[in-house]
Coordinates of all heavy atoms in Angstrom, one line a residue:
M1 N 3.4 17.0 7.9 CA 3.5 15.8 7.3 C 2.2 15.6 6.4 O 2.0 14.4 5.9 CB 3.5 14.7 8.3 CG 4.8 14.6 9.0 SD 5.0 13.2 10.2 CE 4.9 11.8 9.1
K2 N 1.5 16.6 6.1 CA 0.3 16.5 5.2 C 0.7 15.8 3.9 O 1.8 16.0 3.4 CB -0.3 17.9 4.9 CG -1.5 18.1 5.8 CD -2.2 19.4 5.4 CE -3.4 19.6 6.1 NZ -4.1 20.9 5.8
N3 N -0.2 15.0 3.4 CA 0.0 14.3 2.1 C 1.0 13.3 2.1 O 1.4 12.7 1.1 CB 0.3 15.4 0.9 CG -0.9 16.3 0.7 OD1 -2.0 15.9 0.8 ND2 -0.5 17.6 0.5
A4 N 1.4 12.8 3.3 CA 2.4 11.7 3.4 C 1.6 10.4 3.5 O 0.5 10.5 3.9 CB 3.3 12.0 4.5
I5 N 2.2 9.3 3.3 CA 1.7 8.0 3.5 C 2.5 7.3 4.6 O 3.7 7.2 4.4 CB 1.6 7.2 2.2 CG1 0.7 7.9 1.2 CG2 1.1 5.7 2.5 CD1 0.7 7.2 -0.1
I6 N 2.0 6.9 5.7 CA 2.6 6.2 6.8 C 2.3 4.8 6.7 O 1.1 4.3 6.6 CB 2.2 6.7 8.2 CG1 2.5 8.3 8.2 CG2 2.9 6.1 9.3 CD1 3.9 8.7 8.2
T7 N 3.2 3.9 6.8 CA 3.0 2.4 6.9 C 3.5 1.9 8.3 O 4.6 2.4 8.7 CB 3.6 1.6 5.8 OG1 5.0 1.8 5.8 CG2 3.1 2.1 4.4
V8 N 2.9 1.0 8.9 CA 3.3 0.4 10.1 C 3.1 -1.0 10.0 O 2.4 -1.6 9.3 CB 2.6 0.9 11.3 CG1 2.8 2.5 11.5 CG2 1.1 0.6 11.3
D9 N 3.9 -1.8 10.9 CA 3.7 -3.2 11.0 C 2.7 -3.6 12.1 O 2.1 -2.7 12.7 CB 5.1 -3.9 11.2 CG 5.7 -3.5 12.5 OD1 5.0 -2.8 13.3 OD2 6.9 -3.8 12.8
A10 N 2.4 -4.8 12.2 CA 1.3 -5.2 13.2 C 1.7 -4.9 14.6 O 0.7 -4.6 15.3 CB 1.2 -6.8 13.1
M11 N 2.9 -4.7 14.9 CA 3.3 -4.4 16.3 C 2.8 -2.9 16.5 O 2.5 -2.6 17.7 CB 4.8 -4.4 16.3 CG 5.3 -4.4 17.7 SD 5.4 -6.0 18.4 CE 6.4 -5.8 19.7
N12 N 2.7 -2.1 15.6 CA 2.3 -0.7 15.8 C 0.9 -0.5 15.4 O 0.4 0.7 15.4 CB 3.2 0.2 15.0 CG 4.6 0.3 15.5 OD1 4.9 0.6 16.7 ND2 5.6 -0.2 14.6
T13 N 0.0 -1.5 15.3 CA -1.4 -1.3 15.0 C -2.1 -1.2 16.4 O -2.6 -2.1 16.8 CB -1.8 -2.5 14.2 OG1 -1.0 -2.6 13.0 CG2 -3.2 -2.3 13.7
Q14 N -2.0 0.0 16.9 CA -2.7 0.3 18.2 C -3.5 1.6 18.1 O -3.2 2.4 17.3 CB -1.7 0.5 19.3 CG -0.7 -0.7 19.4 CD -1.4 -1.9 19.9 OE1 -2.3 -1.9 20.7 NE2 -0.9 -3.1 19.4
K15 N -4.6 1.7 18.8 CA -5.4 2.9 18.7 C -4.7 4.1 19.0 O -4.9 5.1 18.3 CB -6.6 2.8 19.7 CG -7.6 1.7 19.3 CD -8.8 1.6 20.4 CE -9.7 0.5 20.0 NZ -10.8 0.4 21.0
K16 N -3.9 4.1 20.0 CA -3.1 5.3 20.3 C -2.2 5.8 19.2 O -2.1 6.9 18.9 CB -2.3 5.0 21.6 CG -1.6 6.2 22.2 CD -0.9 5.8 23.6 CE -0.4 7.0 24.4 NZ 0.1 6.6 25.6
I17 N -1.5 4.9 18.5 CA -0.6 5.2 17.4 C -1.5 5.7 16.2 O -1.2 6.7 15.6 CB 0.2 3.9 17.1 CG1 1.2 3.7 18.2 CG2 0.9 4.2 15.7 CD1 2.0 2.3 17.9
A18 N -2.6 5.0 15.9 CA -3.5 5.4 14.8 C -4.0 6.8 15.0 O -4.0 7.6 14.1 CB -4.7 4.4 14.7
S19 N -4.4 7.2 16.3 CA -4.9 8.4 16.6 C -3.8 9.6 16.4 O -4.1 10.6 15.8 CB -5.3 8.6 18.1 OG -6.4 7.7 18.3
K20 N -2.6 9.3 16.7 CA -1.5 10.2 16.4 C -1.3 10.4 14.9 O -1.0 11.6 14.5 CB -0.2 9.8 17.1 CG -0.3 9.9 18.6 CD 1.1 9.5 19.3 CE 0.9 9.6 20.7 NZ 2.1 10.0 21.4
I21 N -1.3 9.4 14.2 CA -1.2 9.5 12.7 C -2.4 10.3 12.1 O -2.1 11.2 11.3 CB -1.2 8.0 12.0 CG1 0.1 7.3 12.5 CG2 -1.3 8.2 10.6 CD1 0.2 5.9 12.1
I22 N -3.6 10.1 12.6 CA -4.7 10.8 12.1 C -4.5 12.3 12.4 O -4.9 13.2 11.6 CB -6.0 10.2 12.7 CG1 -6.3 8.8 12.1 CG2 -7.2 11.1 12.4 CD1 -7.3 8.0 12.7
E23 N -4.1 12.6 13.6 CA -3.9 14.0 14.0 C -3.0 14.7 13.1 O -3.1 15.9 12.9 CB -3.3 14.0 15.4 CG -4.3 13.8 16.5 CD -3.5 13.7 17.9 OE1 -2.4 14.1 18.0 OE2 -4.2 13.2 18.8
K24 N -2.0 14.0 12.5 CA -1.1 14.7 11.6 C -1.6 14.8 10.1 O -1.0 15.3 9.2 CB 0.2 13.8 11.5 CG 0.9 13.7 12.8 CD 1.5 15.0 13.2 CE 2.3 14.8 14.6 NZ 2.8 16.1 15.1
E25 N -2.8 14.3 9.9 CA -3.5 14.4 8.6 C -2.8 13.7 7.5 O -2.6 14.3 6.4 CB -3.8 15.9 8.3 CG -4.8 16.6 9.3 CD -5.1 18.0 8.9 OE1 -5.0 18.3 7.8 OE2 -5.6 18.7 9.8
V26 N -2.3 12.6 7.8 CA -1.5 11.8 6.8 C -2.4 10.5 6.4 O -3.3 10.1 7.2 CB -0.1 11.4 7.2 CG1 0.7 12.6 7.4 CG2 -0.2 10.5 8.4
D27 N -2.1 9.9 5.3 CA -2.8 8.6 5.0 C -2.0 7.6 5.7 O -0.8 7.6 5.9 CB -2.8 8.5 3.6 CG -3.7 9.5 2.8 OD1 -4.9 9.7 3.3 OD2 -3.3 10.0 1.8
E28 N -2.6 6.5 6.0 CA -2.0 5.4 6.7 C -2.3 4.0 6.0 O -3.4 3.8 5.5 CB -2.3 5.3 8.1 CG -3.9 5.2 8.4 CD -4.3 5.7 9.7 OE1 -4.2 4.8 10.7 OE2 -4.8 6.7 9.8
V29 N -1.3 3.1 6.2 CA -1.5 1.7 5.8 C -1.2 0.9 7.0 O 0.0 0.9 7.5 CB -0.6 1.3 4.6 CG1 -0.8 -0.1 4.2 CG2 -0.9 2.3 3.4
M30 N -2.2 0.2 7.5 CA -2.0 -0.7 8.7 C -2.5 -2.0 8.4 O -3.5 -2.1 7.8 CB -2.8 0.0 9.9 CG -2.3 1.3 10.3 SD -3.2 1.9 11.8 CE -1.8 2.6 12.7
P31 N -1.8 -3.0 9.0 CA -2.3 -4.4 8.8 C -3.6 -4.6 9.7 O -3.7 -3.9 10.7 CB -1.2 -5.2 9.2 CG -0.4 -4.4 10.1 CD -0.6 -3.0 9.6
L32 N -4.4 -5.5 9.3 CA -5.6 -5.8 10.1 C -5.4 -7.2 10.6 O -5.3 -8.2 9.9 CB -6.9 -5.8 9.3 CG -8.1 -6.1 9.8 CD1 -8.5 -5.2 11.0 CD2 -9.3 -6.0 8.9
K33 N -5.4 -7.3 12.0 CA -5.1 -8.5 12.6 C -6.5 -9.4 12.6 O -7.5 -8.8 12.8 CB -4.7 -8.3 14.1 CG -3.4 -7.6 14.2 CD -3.1 -7.3 15.6 CE -2.1 -6.2 15.8 NZ -1.9 -5.9 17.3
K34 N -6.3 -10.6 12.4 CA -7.5 -11.6 12.4 C -8.1 -11.7 13.8 O -9.3 -12.1 13.8 CB -7.1 -12.9 11.8 CG -6.8 -12.9 10.4 CD -6.5 -14.3 9.9 CE -6.3 -14.2 8.4 NZ -6.2 -15.6 7.8
N35 N -7.5 -11.3 14.8 CA -8.1 -11.5 16.1 C -9.1 -10.4 16.4 O -9.8 -10.3 17.5 CB -7.1 -11.5 17.3 CG -6.2 -10.3 17.4 OD1 -6.0 -9.6 16.4 ND2 -5.7 -10.1 18.6
H36 N -9.3 -9.5 15.5 CA -10.3 -8.4 15.6 C -11.4 -8.7 14.6 O -11.6 -8.1 13.5 CB -9.7 -7.0 15.3 CG -8.7 -6.6 16.3 ND1 -9.0 -6.1 17.5 CD2 -7.3 -6.6 16.2 CE1 -7.9 -5.8 18.2 NE2 -6.9 -6.1 17.4
R37 N -12.2 -9.7 14.9 CA -13.1 -10.4 14.0 C -14.2 -9.4 13.5 O -14.5 -9.3 12.3 CB -13.8 -11.6 14.5 CG -12.7 -12.7 14.6 CD -13.4 -14.0 15.0 NE -12.4 -15.1 15.1 CZ -12.2 -15.9 16.1 NH1 -13.0 -15.8 17.1 NH2 -11.3 -16.8 16.1
Q38 N -14.8 -8.6 14.4 CA -15.8 -7.7 14.0 C -15.3 -6.6 13.1 O -15.8 -6.3 12.1 CB -16.4 -7.0 15.3 CG -17.5 -6.1 15.0 CD -18.8 -6.6 14.3 OE1 -19.2 -7.7 14.6 NE2 -19.3 -5.8 13.4
F39 N -14.1 -6.1 13.5 CA -13.6 -5.0 12.6 C -13.2 -5.6 11.3 O -13.4 -4.9 10.2 CB -12.3 -4.4 13.3 CG -11.7 -3.2 12.6 CD1 -12.5 -2.2 12.1 CD2 -10.3 -3.2 12.4 CE1 -11.9 -1.1 11.5 CE2 -9.8 -2.0 11.8 CZ -10.6 -1.1 11.3
Q40 N -12.6 -6.7 11.2 CA -12.2 -7.4 10.0 C -13.5 -7.6 9.1 O -13.5 -7.3 7.9 CB -11.6 -8.7 10.2 CG -11.2 -9.4 9.0 CD -10.5 -10.8 9.2 OE1 -10.3 -11.3 10.4 NE2 -10.1 -11.5 8.1
S41 N -14.6 -7.9 9.7 CA -15.8 -8.2 8.9 C -16.3 -6.8 8.4 O -16.7 -6.8 7.3 CB -16.9 -8.7 9.9 OG -18.1 -8.9 9.2
E42 N -16.2 -5.8 9.2 CA -16.6 -4.4 8.7 C -15.8 -3.9 7.5 O -16.3 -3.4 6.5 CB -16.6 -3.4 9.9 CG -17.6 -3.6 11.0 CD -17.4 -2.8 12.2 OE1 -16.6 -1.8 12.1 OE2 -18.1 -3.1 13.2
V43 N -14.5 -4.1 7.6 CA -13.6 -3.7 6.5 C -13.9 -4.6 5.3 O -13.9 -4.0 4.2 CB -12.1 -3.9 7.0 CG1 -11.1 -3.7 5.8 CG2 -11.8 -2.9 8.1
E44 N -14.1 -5.9 5.4 CA -14.4 -6.7 4.3 C -15.7 -6.2 3.6 O -15.7 -6.2 2.4 CB -14.5 -8.2 4.7 CG -13.1 -8.8 5.0 CD -13.2 -10.2 5.6 OE1 -14.3 -10.6 5.9 OE2 -12.1 -10.8 5.8
T45 N -16.7 -6.0 4.4 CA -17.9 -5.5 3.9 C -17.8 -4.2 3.2 O -18.3 -4.0 2.0 CB -18.9 -5.3 5.1 OG1 -19.2 -6.5 5.7 CG2 -20.3 -4.8 4.6
Y46 N -17.0 -3.3 3.6 CA -16.7 -2.0 3.1 C -16.1 -2.1 1.7 O -16.5 -1.6 0.6 CB -15.9 -1.0 4.0 CG -15.3 0.2 3.3 CD1 -16.3 1.3 3.1 CD2 -14.1 0.2 2.7 CE1 -15.8 2.4 2.4 CE2 -13.7 1.3 2.1 CZ -14.5 2.5 1.9 OH -14.1 3.6 1.3
F47 N -15.1 -3.0 1.6 CA -14.4 -3.2 0.4 C -15.2 -3.9 -0.7 O -15.1 -3.6 -1.9 CB -12.9 -3.8 0.6 CG -11.9 -2.8 1.0 CD1 -11.5 -2.8 2.3 CD2 -11.4 -1.9 0.1 CE1 -10.6 -1.9 2.7 CE2 -10.4 -1.0 0.5 CZ -10.0 -1.0 1.8
H48 N -16.0 -4.8 -0.2 CA -16.9 -5.5 -1.1 C -17.9 -4.6 -1.7 O -18.2 -4.5 -2.9 CB -17.7 -6.7 -0.4 CG -18.6 -7.4 -1.2 ND1 -18.2 -8.3 -2.1 CD2 -20.0 -7.4 -1.2 CE1 -19.2 -8.9 -2.7 NE2 -20.3 -8.3 -2.2
K49 N -18.4 -3.6 -0.8 CA -19.4 -2.6 -1.3 C -18.8 -1.7 -2.3 O -19.4 -1.4 -3.4 CB -19.9 -1.8 -0.1 CG -20.8 -0.7 -0.5 CD -21.3 0.1 0.7 CE -22.1 1.3 0.2 NZ -22.2 2.3 1.3
I50 N -17.6 -1.1 -2.1 CA -17.0 -0.2 -3.1 C -16.6 -0.9 -4.3 O -16.6 -0.3 -5.4 CB -15.8 0.6 -2.4 CG1 -14.6 -0.2 -2.0 CG2 -16.4 1.5 -1.3 CD1 -13.4 0.6 -1.6
S51 N -16.3 -2.2 -4.2 CA -15.9 -3.0 -5.3 C -17.1 -3.1 -6.2 O -17.1 -2.9 -7.5 CB -15.4 -4.3 -5.0 OG -15.1 -5.2 -6.1
R52 N -18.3 -3.4 -5.7 CA -19.6 -3.6 -6.4 C -19.9 -2.2 -7.1 O -20.3 -2.2 -8.3 CB -20.7 -4.0 -5.5 CG -20.7 -5.5 -5.2 CD -22.1 -5.9 -4.6 NE -22.7 -4.9 -3.9 CZ -22.9 -4.8 -2.5 NH1 -22.3 -5.7 -1.8 NH2 -23.5 -3.8 -1.9
E53 N -19.8 -1.1 -6.3 CA -20.1 0.2 -6.8 C -19.2 0.6 -8.0 O -19.7 1.1 -9.0 CB -20.1 1.3 -5.7 CG -21.2 1.1 -4.7 CD -21.1 2.0 -3.5 OE1 -20.0 2.7 -3.4 OE2 -21.9 2.0 -2.6
S54 N -18.0 0.2 -7.9 CA -17.1 0.5 -8.9 C -17.3 -0.3 -10.2 O -17.3 0.3 -11.3 CB -15.6 0.2 -8.5 OG -14.7 0.4 -9.5
S55 N -17.7 -1.6 -10.0 CA -18.1 -2.4 -11.2 C -19.3 -1.8 -11.8 O -19.4 -1.8 -13.1 CB -18.4 -3.8 -10.7 OG -17.2 -4.4 -10.3
R56 N -20.3 -1.3 -11.1 CA -21.6 -0.7 -11.7 C -21.2 0.5 -12.5 O -21.7 0.8 -13.6 CB -22.6 -0.4 -10.6 CG -23.5 -1.6 -10.3 CD -24.6 -1.2 -9.4 NE -24.4 -1.8 -8.2 CZ -24.5 -1.2 -7.0 NH1 -24.9 0.0 -6.8 NH2 -24.2 -1.9 -5.8
N57 N -20.3 1.4 -11.9 CA -20.0 2.7 -12.6 C -19.1 2.3 -13.8 O -19.2 3.1 -14.8 CB -19.2 3.5 -11.7 CG -19.9 4.1 -10.5 OD1 -21.2 4.1 -10.7 ND2 -19.4 4.4 -9.4
D58 N -18.3 1.3 -13.9 CA -17.6 0.9 -15.1 C -18.5 0.5 -16.2 O -18.2 0.7 -17.3 CB -16.6 -0.2 -14.8 CG -15.4 0.2 -13.9 OD1 -15.3 1.4 -13.8 OD2 -14.8 -0.7 -13.4
N59 N -19.7 0.0 -15.9 CA -20.6 -0.5 -16.9 C -21.5 0.7 -17.4 O -22.3 0.5 -18.3 CB -21.5 -1.6 -16.4 CG -20.6 -2.8 -16.1 OD1 -19.7 -3.1 -16.8 ND2 -21.0 -3.5 -15.1
V60 N -21.5 1.9 -16.8 CA -22.3 3.0 -17.2 C -21.6 3.7 -18.4 O -20.5 4.1 -18.4 CB -22.5 4.0 -16.1 CG1 -23.3 5.2 -16.6 CG2 -23.2 3.2 -15.0
L61 N -22.4 4.0 -19.5 CA -21.8 4.7 -20.6 C -22.1 6.2 -20.6 O -23.1 6.7 -20.2 CB -22.3 4.1 -21.9 CG -21.9 2.6 -22.1 CD1 -22.5 2.1 -23.4 CD2 -20.4 2.5 -22.3

């Protein structure tokens, strides 16, 4: 299943399921539930950071 993209709904957003997907070396799209506040904050910080870095790189000639 290499190079595949797996999508799941919120019902399947579990550590055990994510681990199995990672083992298969595929990309995954999973929803992030709001009841995981710490993880949500970490993801938001990550995307904010890469967005800023991308903006800086776009301005470099």
Side-chain angles (χ1 to χ4, degrees):
M1 289 186 66
K2 261 187 175 175
N3 300 320
I5 298 173
I6 303 292
T7 60
V8 299
D9 60 8
M11 192 88 164
N12 292 301
T13 306
Q14 305 294 324
K15 289 179 185 179
K16 191 173 186 178
I17 293 170
S19 294
K20 288 183 183 212
I21 292 170
I22 291 167
E23 286 174 11
K24 299 291 183 183
E25 297 183 21
V26 299
D27 293 318
E28 60 199 279
V29 178
M30 296 183 138
L32 177 59
K33 301 177 196 176
K34 288 187 177 185
N35 62 334
H36 296 282
R37 291 186 181 133
Q38 178 64 35
F39 185 48
Q40 181 179 0
S41 176
E42 291 172 13
V43 170
E44 288 172 354
T45 300
Y46 171 78
F47 279 104
H48 182 72
K49 177 184 174 193
I50 63 171
S51 177
R52 278 194 334 251
E53 290 172 358
S54 176
S55 294
R56 272 190 251 137
N57 291 337
D58 289 343
N59 293 327
V60 176
L61 296 175

